[in-house]
């Protein structure tokens, strides 16, 4: 069943295939995975505070101001926390990460199928959603996927307007700028920077900067700033608003770009990490990046996908590299552009000797090369050979998905939570500051102890306690003769005070 709307064919069969991937792989993991203590459970605490204070613009982590992130994502968490009960965690991950990831994948297929052809769009979308890093981020409770969705939708609207897939009316143009604002309202400046840089560089490559007038670029920027001013107004109306706003604009915006508090990495950090983050397509990306930078002077000869991939990837990547603070997850909004550039490079170099060599090296780096090699070597169709990569990843994850519960028991805090939930004992977290985030799931008094002297004082005050620590500090606790091991897994240990 196909339909044509302004562009090339879009196959519902391919949309259904993408849906099956999410249904078979993503949903089982989503329903069984235990949340991360450092970030996800911390977000639970922030969402709880939002509901208690009913201040929707000043976020707090316990009693501390939390200007690290804008509020939109936490509004979603607060709503789900209030109405979803025991299903809060899977509902939050589903609406905050899995569903945006699914829409990015499906609309990527739709966009690039219309721009180029159905096979190109499907390979780009399939490669994107089966890249292990993208899959992993789709299954954790982080605002990066939601921000990436808004960035993508802004660019989806832009390219749809540019190629006249949708009418060039005020409503569609307004939606594009509104998506840009929502990206910033979800995570920060990248929500504005990535789409605007991509649009400008693409029009530069197209030698069509006059198109900015057709999409009311100046007025669009004013519209985004107007929404930002409204946001700031509500912040300033709140208690501690001025202090909070200064932290957002200084420490969390300019500070992260110029002199970050954490995650400080050298300029070349992302270039070192991308071959791993884009596995098993990393070697293709390095080849494409070098190729297009080297041949930038001949950009007029590039086709549509090459220009889109280059504008969505290279300049934003260089901008991210210049920032002081760097994390792998920051690159998520660029993944769509990266896979467009990878596909363009593969297509251009498929009949060249170096292209064939890169293809064989990439194939050898995957986990099941022998099995799929025998199948695809019989095929002369290069497109079918390309499907080797996503099919390999899909096969691996189908086998791994049932082991999520085993991972929870052996590596996560799930069994620890179970132990302390059924007990009336007080909890001491030894050199484990992040453990207080478990208050996002259970309401227990938790005392922090940063050294053995403090711990000894707490033991003398209260014998009816559990002591939770990361496994690497287990030997510190063994030195206390009165402590006995209650439970441990690969990462964590729980001790109690023996009555003997």
């Amino acid at each position: 069943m196909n339909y044509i709307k302004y562009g090339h064919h879009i196959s519902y069969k391919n949309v259904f295939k993408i849906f099956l991937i999410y249904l078979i792989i993503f949903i089982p993991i989503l329903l069984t995975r235990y949340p991360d203590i450092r970030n996800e459970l911390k977000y639970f605490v922030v969402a709880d505070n939002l509901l208690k204070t009913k201040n929707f613009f000043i976020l707090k982590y316990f009693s501390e101001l939390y200007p690290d992130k804008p509020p939109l994502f936490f509004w979603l968490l607060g709503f789900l926390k209030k109405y979803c009960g025991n299903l809060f965690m899977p509902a939050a991950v589903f609406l905050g990460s899995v569903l945006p990831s699914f829409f990015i994948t499906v609309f990527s297929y739709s966009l690039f199928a219309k721009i180029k052809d159905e096979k190109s769009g499907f390979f780009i979308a399939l490669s994107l959603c089966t890249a292990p890093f993208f899959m992993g981020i789709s299954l954790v409770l982080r605002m990066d996927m939601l921000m990436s969705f808004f960035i993508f939708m802004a660019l989806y609207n832009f390219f749809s307007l540019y190629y006249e897939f949708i009418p060039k009316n005020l409503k569609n143009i307004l939606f594009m700028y509104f998506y840009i604002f929502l990206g910033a309202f979800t995570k920060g400046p990248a929500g504005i920077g990535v789409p605007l840089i991509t649009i400008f560089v693409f029009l530069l490559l197209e030698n069509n900067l006059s198109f900015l007038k057709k999409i009311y670029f100046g007025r669009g920027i004013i519209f985004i700033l107007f929404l930002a001013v409204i946001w700031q107004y509500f912040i300033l109306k709140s208690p501690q608003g001025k202090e909070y706003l200064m932290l957002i604009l200084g420490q969390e915006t300019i500070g992260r770009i110029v002199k970050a508090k954490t995650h400080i990495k050298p300029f070349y950090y992302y270039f070192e990490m991308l071959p791993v983050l884009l596995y098993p397509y990393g070697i293709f990306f390095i080849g494409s990046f070098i190729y297009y930078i080297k041949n930038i002077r001949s950009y007029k000869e590039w086709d549509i996908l090459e220009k889109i991939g280059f504008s969505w990837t290279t300049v934003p990547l260089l901008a991210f590299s210049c920032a002081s603070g760097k994390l792998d997850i920051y690159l998520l909004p660029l993944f769509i552009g990266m896979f467009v550039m990878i596909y363009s490079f593969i297509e251009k170099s498929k009949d060249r000797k170096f292209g064939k060599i890169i293809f064989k090296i990439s194939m050898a780096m995957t986990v099941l090369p022998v099995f799929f090699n025998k199948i695809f070597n019989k095929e002369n169709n290069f497109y079918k050979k390309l499907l080797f990569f996503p099919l390999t990843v899909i096969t691996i994850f189908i086998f791994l998905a049932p082991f999520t519960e085993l991972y929870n028991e052996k590596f996560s805090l799930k069994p620890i939570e179970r132990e302390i939930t059924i007990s009336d004992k007080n909890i001491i977290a030894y050199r484990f500051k992040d453990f207080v985030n478990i208050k996002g799931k259970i309401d227990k008094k938790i005392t922090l102890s940063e050294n053995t002297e403090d711990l000894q004082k707490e033991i003398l005050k209260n014998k009816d306690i559990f002591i939770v620590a990361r496994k690497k500090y287990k030997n510190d606790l063994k030195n206390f003769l009165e402590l006995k091991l209650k439970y441990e897994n690969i990462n964590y240990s729980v001790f109690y005070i023996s009555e003997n």
Side-chain angles (χ1 to χ4, degrees), residues 135-164:
M135 292 177 80
I137 301 305
S138 300
L139 288 162
V140 298
L141 190 65
R142 294 288 294 263
M143 58 284 298
D144 299 80
M145 187 60 74
L146 187 60
M147 177 188 69
S148 297
F149 168 72
F150 289 130
I151 289 173
F152 173 79
M153 289 307 298
L155 291 171
Y156 181 90
N157 263 39
F158 167 74
F159 288 116
S160 296
L161 289 165
Y162 189 79
Y163 291 109
E164 299 182 352

Side-chain angles (χ1 to χ4, degrees), residues 22-296:
Y22 276 80
L23 183 66
I24 294 170
I25 298 177
F26 287 70
I27 300 303
I29 297 175
L30 161 71
L31 293 173
T32 54
R33 192 183 66 82
Y34 189 80
D36 163 59
I37 188 71
R38 187 181 182 92
N39 291 301
E40 292 174 303
L41 289 178
K42 183 176 186 177
Y43 299 155
F44 291 4
V45 174
V46 176
D48 276 339
N49 280 344
L50 182 145
L51 292 175
K52 289 175 184 176
T53 62
K54 300 190 184 306
N55 189 330
F56 297 98
F57 291 92
I58 304 289
L59 302 178
K60 286 192 174 184
Y61 173 60
F62 294 111
S63 60
E64 300 174 9
L65 291 176
Y66 186 74
D68 303 43
K69 307 291 187 297
L72 181 61
F73 186 73
F74 295 99
W75 292 357
L76 173 64
L77 294 188
F79 175 82
L80 297 175
K81 187 82 172 177
K82 185 174 181 179
Y83 293 106
C84 289
N86 293 333
L87 293 175
F88 166 60
M89 173 62 186
V93 178
F94 178 76
L95 291 179
S97 293
V98 175
L99 198 60
S101 169
F102 175 74
F103 284 143
I104 289 172
T105 303
V106 170
F107 290 143
S108 291
Y109 164 63
S110 172
L111 178 64
F112 299 117
K114 290 176 186 176
I115 290 176
K116 183 74 182 285
D117 56 55
E118 181 264 331
K119 287 184 176 180
S120 302
F122 185 62
F123 175 75
I124 291 168
L126 193 64
S127 301
L128 173 69
C129 77
T130 58
F133 184 76
F134 187 87
M135 292 177 80
I137 301 305
S138 300
L139 288 162
V140 298
L141 190 65
R142 294 288 294 263
M143 58 284 298
D144 299 80
M145 187 60 74
L146 187 60
M147 177 188 69
S148 297
F149 168 72
F150 289 130
I151 289 173
F152 173 79
M153 289 307 298
L155 291 171
Y156 181 90
N157 263 39
F158 167 74
F159 288 116
S160 296
L161 289 165
Y162 189 79
Y163 291 109
E164 299 182 352
F165 300 152
I166 59 176
K168 204 182 285 98
N169 56 36
L170 183 61
K171 181 188 75 172
N172 290 327
I173 293 172
L174 201 62
F175 264 118
M176 180 181 72
Y177 292 112
F178 187 59
Y179 284 131
I180 292 174
F181 170 75
L182 289 179
F185 201 45
T186 304
K187 182 72 189 283
I192 296 176
V194 172
L196 293 187
I197 290 173
T198 302
I199 289 169
F200 182 80
V201 174
F202 174 77
L203 292 176
L204 203 61
L205 294 176
E206 284 278 277
N207 194 27
N208 191 13
L209 287 176
S210 61
F211 189 75
L212 293 174
K213 293 182 180 178
K214 296 180 181 180
I215 56 173
Y216 308 114
F217 187 74
R219 297 177 188 177
I221 298 300
I222 293 172
F223 175 67
I224 294 170
L225 291 174
F226 173 72
L227 295 176
V229 168
I230 294 176
W231 171 23
Q232 293 178 15
Y233 169 75
F234 282 106
I235 290 175
L236 289 173
K237 277 190 66 177
S238 305
Q240 297 181 281
K242 187 175 181 181
E243 179 186 356
Y244 191 81
L245 183 60
M246 293 304 294
L247 287 171
I248 290 176
L249 298 177
Q251 174 182 296
E252 299 302 328
T253 303
I254 298 172
R256 284 178 184 261
I257 297 171
V258 179
K259 190 176 181 181
K261 298 180 297 180
T262 57
H263 314 308
I264 300 172
K265 301 288 193 307
F267 174 83
Y268 54 82
Y269 173 76
Y270 288 133
F271 295 93
E272 286 184 331
M273 295 305 300
L274 275 169
V276 177
L277 300 180
L278 292 169
Y279 177 84
Y281 310 92
I283 191 169
F284 288 124
F285 176 75
I286 297 301
S288 66
F289 188 84
I290 294 171
Y291 176 82
Y292 288 110
I293 291 292
K294 184 179 177 182
N295 292 278
I296 185 67

Side-chain angles (χ1 to χ4, degrees), residues 346-358:
I346 292 174
E347 190 178 48
K348 178 158 280 189
S349 61
K350 65 183 179 181
D351 296 322
R352 300 180 186 180
K353 187 176 180 180
F354 72 92
K356 293 178 180 179
I357 292 172
I358 288 177

